[in-house]
Amino acid sequence: MYQTRQAYAPTPHSYVPNTALSATINLDEEVKLAETRAERDLQDSLAEVFSIIITLDELEKAYLKDAIPEADYTEICDRLLKQYKAILTDEAVSREFVDLETFKNEWEMEVPRATERIRIGLPSTVTAPSINTAATSNGTNGTLILEATQDFITFLDALKLGLLEKHQLHPLLSELIQSVNKVTDRDFDGRGKIVQWLIALNQMKATEEISEDQARELELDMNSAYQGFKATLR
């Protein structure tokens, strides 16, 4: 009496199922994104870089909102930047990554704060120290002044010895600015040049060298900064 209803959606007459194709697909089988271990390692490394960039951006936001203590921010930011650089020293990862802007565009990342922090290569507390960073005790200042002075001399000696590669100069200059920040938070003459050179060196590849003209300019700027630093101590 009543017409039996179909318990499934009607199939268009023009559609003919491909039973051969269906038989080759196992819905319970895990889909492999990489066929070899090298490909898996590459994907894992790129995923780690992605995570670091996102974390850096959130960390910068938290610091600007005073949601994280300066010491914690400095430690975490420094660690993330070192991890970012370490991962990209791998040639395969670096080749696939290309550069930060390319990577961001590929994955549609909106991370302006992380982009700036990676460009500079140092935590904000290092390039722009607060009054809490500098020493306040006269007894402590004596030791810290000596360390900063030695770091200036060490860096200038490195230039005179012809050490011009990024991996030779950048660590020394990073130590120098951090030593200076422990002594004073004042913006002395030449301090901005130290930060500018840190940023310039950070953009270079590890084995890339500065030119002889750049070396002479860098030496002049560091001598000027050294004199400016000493002037703040008078």
Side-chain angles (χ1 to χ4, degrees):
M1 182 177 180
Y2 296 99
Q3 185 179 1
T4 304
R5 293 184 179 180
Q6 292 178 319
Y8 52 86
T11 303
H13 295 294
S14 59
Y15 173 74
V16 179
N18 187 337
T19 55
L21 178 61
S22 300
T24 63
I25 299 176
N26 185 351
L27 298 179
D28 295 325
E29 183 180 352
E30 181 180 357
V31 177
K32 293 183 178 181
L33 300 179
E35 295 297 330
T36 66
R37 179 166 184 175
E39 290 176 347
R40 288 195 297 272
D41 288 344
L42 175 59
Q43 290 173 356
D44 288 345
S45 295
L46 292 173
E48 187 66 23
V49 170
F50 182 93
S51 177
I52 288 172
I53 295 172
I54 295 296
T55 303
L56 261 177
D57 203 65
E58 293 301 319
L59 180 66
E60 291 295 311
K61 292 177 185 177
Y63 177 65
L64 291 173
K65 296 178 180 177
D66 288 329
I68 183 173
E70 285 190 5
D72 292 344
Y73 161 79
T74 303
E75 179 185 353
I76 297 171
C77 185
D78 186 57
R79 184 171 66 249
L80 289 171
L81 289 170
K82 287 178 179 178
Q83 290 172 343
Y84 173 87
K85 294 173 185 177
I87 294 172
L88 291 177
T89 56
D90 184 282
E91 290 185 7
V93 177
S94 179
R95 186 167 52 250
E96 186 71 20
F97 180 78
V98 183
D99 56 46
L100 182 56
E101 290 303 317
T102 301
F103 189 77
K104 283 164 46 182
N105 290 336
E106 181 179 357
W107 296 103
E108 299 181 350
M109 302 174 73
E110 294 290 339
V111 284
R113 294 171 181 82
T115 301
E116 180 66 8
R117 190 54 47 213
I118 291 171
R119 184 184 72 86
I120 294 173
L122 291 168
S124 177
T125 46
V126 173
T127 57
S130 70
I131 193 169
N132 296 326
T133 309
T136 55
S137 167
N138 290 333
T140 305
N141 265 339
T143 302
L144 295 177
I145 289 171
L146 179 60
E147 290 178 356
T149 300
Q150 289 175 337
D151 285 341
F152 267 111
I153 295 172
T154 299
F155 186 81
L156 289 168
D157 284 346
L159 289 174
K160 292 175 182 177
L161 290 171
L163 303 182
L164 305 179
E165 292 185 2
K166 180 249 181 105
H167 73 92
Q168 296 169 323
L169 296 176
H170 191 270
L172 294 177
L173 199 55
S174 296
E175 289 179 11
L176 191 158
I177 191 66
Q178 292 181 68
S179 296
V180 166
N181 289 343
K182 292 176 182 177
V183 176
T184 179
D185 61 319
R186 294 171 60 185
D187 188 17
F188 56 84
D189 184 34
R191 187 185 183 283
K193 288 291 185 179
I194 301 177
V195 176
Q196 288 177 17
W197 276 108
L198 274 169
I199 296 173
L201 289 170
N202 188 58
Q203 304 304 306
M204 297 168 58
K205 296 180 179 179
T207 57
E208 190 175 349
E209 291 186 355
I210 60 174
S211 66
E212 291 185 2
D213 288 342
Q214 287 176 313
R216 284 192 290 270
E217 182 182 355
L218 177 54
E219 184 175 359
L220 287 173
D221 287 341
M222 290 306 105
N223 274 312
S224 175
Y226 185 30
Q227 298 304 317
F229 171 71
K230 291 193 292 185
T232 65
L233 307 176
R234 296 175 188 147

